[in-house]
Amino acid sequence: MSSREFLDWAYNKGIEIEYIQPGKPIQNAYIESFNSRLREECLNEHAFRDLDHAKKRIEAWRRYYNEERPHSALDMKTPVELEEDWIDKN
């Protein structure tokens, strides 16, 4: 996907793109933290045979990250648990 296609997709979905200043990763700390976890816990741990194998491994890690792995920033809940709590309260 090209950057123009991405911007068009985001616009059509009503997603506002926010840019950070170059060299200022602290302005995007959540995604920087996520990228670091993805690299350390998944990408560096596997040698992918092909694109299909990579997609399957990354999807398995994504599910683990969101459904099983507790997050200190979420009071040791998983993102799914936090979402369920939010739905129950609303």
Side-chain angles (χ1 to χ4, degrees):
M1 174 183 291
S2 72
S3 59
R4 169 72 8 225
E5 290 170 323
F6 172 74
L7 292 173
D8 289 344
W9 172 84
Y11 176 80
N12 289 330
K13 299 284 185 185
I15 299 170
E16 181 181 344
I17 304 298
E18 294 186 26
Y19 297 94
I20 65 169
Q21 294 173 308
K24 303 282 186 178
I26 195 70
Q27 293 175 346
N28 199 17
Y30 290 109
I31 197 62
E32 293 293 331
S33 176
F34 172 81
N35 286 343
S36 146
R37 299 286 77 73
L38 173 62
R39 167 97 23 226
E40 291 173 11
E41 297 175 11
C42 183
L43 302 179
N44 289 347
E45 295 296 314
H46 302 287
F48 303 112
R49 294 186 302 269
D50 53 34
L51 184 57
D52 187 54
H53 183 236
K55 286 179 180 181
K56 287 178 182 172
R57 285 287 197 175
I58 293 167
E59 175 60 15
W61 180 84
R62 185 194 66 80
R63 292 182 69 96
Y64 165 75
Y65 183 86
N66 286 316
E67 298 172 11
E68 298 176 39
R69 182 184 182 278
H71 297 250
S72 59
L74 304 179
D75 198 26
M76 297 313 290
K77 294 182 180 183
T78 68
V80 168
E81 289 171 329
L82 187 70
E83 178 186 37
E84 289 168 353
D85 288 351
W86 185 86
I87 289 170
D88 289 344
K89 291 177 184 175
N90 294 300

